Amino acid sequence: MLRGTALAAAAVTLPAAGPLRARAAAPGRSVAVFGGGVSGLTTAHELIDRGYEVTVYEPLALGGKARSMPVPGTAAGGRADLPGEHGFRFFPGCYQHVPETMSRIPFAGNGNGVADNLVRVEATTAGFPNLAPIVLPVEVGGLAQLTPEVIQSTISGAVGFIPQLPPAELAFFVQQMMRWFTSSTERRFGEWEYRSWTDVMQANGKSTAYREYLVNALTRITVAAKPHRSSARTIGTIGEALVLAGTGLVPGYQGGVDRILNRPTNEAWIDPWVDHLRGRGVRFVMGAKATGLQFDGGRISGASVSGVGRVEADWYVCAMPVERTVPLLNDSILNADPSLDGMRNLEVDWMVGIQYYLTTPTELPEGHVAALGSPWALTALRQAPMWVGDFAARYGDGTVRECLSVDVSDWDTPGILFGKTAKQCTKDEVAQEVWAQLKAWLNTGTGWLRDEDIHSWFLDPGVHWDGGAAVNDTPLLVNTAGSYDHRPTSHCGIENLFFAGDHVRTHIDLATMEGANESGRTAANAILDAAADNAARAPIYPLFAPPIFEPLKQLDAQRYRAGLPHVLG
């Protein structure tokens, strides 16, 4: 599934029996990283740069959910296979860790490494049923300073386009967001964390536009989370970051509000990253899945890895999704650190992509597309116009000129074509239903999407059918109300065991590439701490907090400790 033979050839040949030392390293410096997604690659990157000997064990594909993949059998005439992916990549301006890592990955012709493969998106398209779509600029520009008025104006402008939204409800939504901006840390973690976004935004009793578009749709397309169950603190955190990125006034939020890669993800980022790490000395073992951890004398003494056998190292990093990490936490480990048992309470949901390959370019504006209120919470991106080179000359059989990549964020609501949820549909029905919803939400007055233009489509192979039932091998963590209590930090009560992944506590607080990257950095730093290593720590970038709100936050902290509500209610 990865560039096929290239990675297979790079896999390490392993002995049939006996424990494998993760690397022949100086005492105390060998690291076994289980999982080669963004968090595992980041951990490896930070540690190899500090002189550690790192081996990454990955069962399927390096890059994890962030990778792209060739569609088998679609190449002809010396071209590459059509590019498929788990879902399109989105790099908002509030991302700080991922771009910094990218800048340290060499790429031919780029002065700033892979980071120069990020290109700014200047507009987004919002679609509604039976209404003409609206094209909105995402670059604000022209602002002089960050003030409460600027922030309120940015929020109003970002959501004020929603049709049939009563002005009073828009004003209430903005007020609730300002309540978040001025809430103290104590209130955010003590109150907002345990309330749902629907509850905090008081959706019940409001208009259909408020409930369906403002509260539900914007949440679903942003974080693939159900607003009636999602932690209001998580939604508020990413909402604040996106609003501040939208002002263009935060120094650390560079590169514009919205960016995408100028090539398929593996070409633009993952393959150069793996090549760089391999060149630095990281060893990758493919087809290797951690199946057990052995606990002895207060430490992890070894790990069982499929296709390998027993692996021994000084430090062990579980850089896998939470649903694959939990089975490794045996009774001995949980007795040593009972807090880890909380990971069993974390929940995952489906957010999976499908690509449509078209013989004629659509007239959809460049940039992201949101079908607001669509049953399956669809978002999309025209990729060919923003990628380098001629798409038809580079990929497929020469007739495909457009790649429309679509994310399906709701797999539990009946669709408009078959009346079934995505999970109840067959593979073909999923493709038909997604296309039908896109047309219903985007074609009013435009005719942008035409059936006759479809050459083929490709659904993320992480979704497959077993006995007629849909199965997803790549679900996404969702931050339900109160779930922060169950999420681990990178280190735990076991001296040489560490965690990385989008379920680990991070500043971005969301299942994203940014969260995965930050968690890889914190895992590397935790190893340095445990090893009493004086090497420079990997930089960690907190989200920006406008200083102008600090006095109000201090006042709110006093009110919260006194049991009083926020001044805005």
Side-chain angles (χ1 to χ4, degrees):
M1 294 295 301
L2 272 181
R3 298 198 168 226
T5 56
L7 283 178
V12 173
T13 302
L14 301 165
L20 174 72
R21 192 67 181 167
R23 188 77 169 179
R29 301 186 75 81
S30 66
V31 184
V33 177
F34 303 118
V38 171
S39 64
L41 294 178
T42 302
T43 304
H45 196 154
E46 300 300 340
L47 289 174
I48 202 72
D49 280 355
R50 288 158 178 81
Y52 285 75
E53 301 290 348
V54 184
T55 302
V56 176
Y57 300 89
E58 166 56 40
L60 178 62
L62 298 172
K65 289 189 281 287
R67 77 191 190 278
S68 59
M69 62 201 80
V71 181
T74 58
R79 302 174 189 85
D81 283 323
L82 291 169
E85 57 192 357
H86 170 78
F88 60 78
R89 306 269 63 80
F90 166 50
F91 299 81
C94 57
Y95 280 15
Q96 302 173 86
H97 297 92
V98 167
E100 196 277 337
T101 293
M102 288 178 158
S103 71
R104 293 187 281 128
I105 303 170
F107 193 92
N110 287 359
N112 198 34
V114 163
D116 284 345
N117 289 335
L118 292 170
V119 294
R120 292 166 73 146
V121 175
E122 298 183 354
T124 189
T125 300
F128 304 91
N130 304 314
L131 293 171
I134 299 172
V135 180
L136 304 160
V138 297
E139 297 284 354
V140 180
L143 302 176
Q145 57 182 328
L146 197 61
T147 66
E149 291 75 22
V150 164
I151 292 174
Q152 290 183 73
S153 176
T154 301
I155 298 172
S156 295
V159 299
F161 67 90
I162 293 176
Q164 302 170 345
L165 178 65
E169 294 182 357
L170 172 61
F172 177 78
F173 180 86
V174 174
Q175 174 187 298
Q176 291 301 86
M177 285 300 299
M178 295 306 291
R179 179 172 174 257
W180 164 264
F181 271 83
T182 55
S183 285
S184 62
T185 300
E186 292 91 338
R187 190 178 300 280
R188 291 183 177 191
F189 280 89
E191 177 186 331
W192 289 75
E193 169 61 25
Y194 299 99
R195 297 178 64 186
S196 73
W197 187 243
T198 298
D199 179 28
V200 165
M201 288 300 163
Q202 299 181 27
N204 294 334
K206 297 287 195 304
S207 67
T208 299
Y210 184 91
R211 288 182 284 107
E212 293 300 321
Y213 298 142
L214 196 53
V215 174
N216 191 4
L218 289 180
T219 303
R220 293 294 282 157
I221 66 174
T222 303
V223 297
K226 297 178 175 65
H228 66 282
R229 301 198 62 227
S230 299
S231 161
R233 185 188 62 80
T234 293
I235 307 302
T237 297
I238 189 61
E240 177 179 3
L242 293 174
V243 166
L244 292 174
T247 67
L249 296 172
V250 177
Y253 295 176
Q254 300 296 319
V257 178
D258 181 5
R259 293 162 293 181
I260 67 169
L261 290 166
N262 63 2
R263 296 169 172 84
T265 311
N266 271 44
E267 291 183 33
W269 177 23
I270 302 301
D271 288 351
W273 197 5
V274 172
D275 290 344
H276 175 65
L277 295 182
R278 185 177 287 116
R280 297 279 293 148
V282 175
R283 180 166 55 175
F284 294 96
V285 182
M286 302 302 297
K289 176 184 177 181
T291 58
L293 296 173
Q294 290 85 53
F295 181 77
D296 183 30
R299 294 170 55 87
I300 302 299
S301 58
S304 300
V305 179
S306 62
V308 176
R310 180 177 168 85
V311 166
E312 295 179 354
D314 297 307
W315 315 101
Y316 299 84
V317 182
C318 291
M320 301 172 292
V322 64
E323 71 275 8
R324 299 189 181 184
T325 299
V326 166
L328 301 182
L329 306 178
N330 57 47
D331 290 343
S332 297
I333 291 173
L334 294 177
N335 287 336
D337 188 344
S339 70
L340 298 179
D341 194 45
M343 278 193 270
R344 300 182 189 278
N345 298 314
L346 297 176
E347 298 183 25
V348 294
D349 206 342
W350 293 27
M351 185 176 185
V352 179
I354 182 172
Q355 290 79 54
Y356 294 89
Y357 305 105
L358 310 176
T359 56
T360 303
T362 76
E363 295 179 2
L364 271 168
E366 294 182 13
H368 290 103
V369 178
L372 293 179
S374 54
W376 289 5
L378 303 180
T379 49
L381 177 67
R382 278 187 71 192
Q383 294 181 318
M386 303 191 73
W387 283 354
V388 296
D390 182 281
F391 190 90
R394 296 189 66 192
Y395 304 105
D397 60 8
T399 66
V400 177
R401 301 179 61 196
E402 178 80 275
C403 175
L404 182 65
S405 187
V406 187
D407 277 351
V408 181
S409 297
D410 189 331
W411 287 70
D412 298 303
T413 298
I416 64 173
L417 190 61
F418 300 107
K420 297 191 291 188
T421 71
K423 291 178 181 177
Q424 294 171 331
C425 288
T426 65
K427 189 175 182 179
D428 287 340
E429 287 173 342
V430 168
Q432 295 176 55
E433 178 70 48
V434 170
W435 187 254
Q437 290 185 33
L438 286 175
K439 289 196 301 180
W441 261 254
L442 296 172
N443 268 9
T444 302
T446 68
W448 283 336
L449 302 178
R450 299 174 295 272
D451 295 346
E452 60 270 23
D453 293 339
I454 298 178
H455 171 278
S456 55
W457 49 265
F458 177 73
L459 180 67
D460 175 17
V463 175
H464 53 94
W465 277 256
D466 185 3
V471 178
N472 185 4
D473 293 335
T474 56
L476 196 70
L477 178 80
V478 290
N479 295 12
T480 54
S483 61
Y484 188 81
D485 295 342
H486 304 302
R487 292 167 60 191
T489 58
S490 283
H491 202 186
C492 65
I494 299 173
E495 179 186 7
N496 64 338
L497 178 61
F498 306 84
F499 299 95
D502 52 26
H503 57 290
V504 173
R505 295 181 181 184
T506 59
H507 289 96
I508 198 73
D509 192 50
L510 196 64
T512 57
M513 298 176 292
E514 176 75 352
N517 185 286
E518 182 183 341
S519 73
R521 292 166 181 249
T522 59
N525 288 346
I527 289 176
L528 297 178
D529 292 342
D533 191 324
N534 62 3
R537 273 28 180 189
I540 304 296
Y541 306 103
L543 291 171
F544 180 77
I548 196 168
F549 290 130
E550 195 56 36
L552 293 173
K553 289 182 178 180
Q554 293 178 9
L555 171 63
D556 186 57
Q558 296 172 9
R559 292 179 62 85
Y560 181 78
R561 288 192 290 267
L564 298 173
H566 192 280
V567 292
L568 293 179

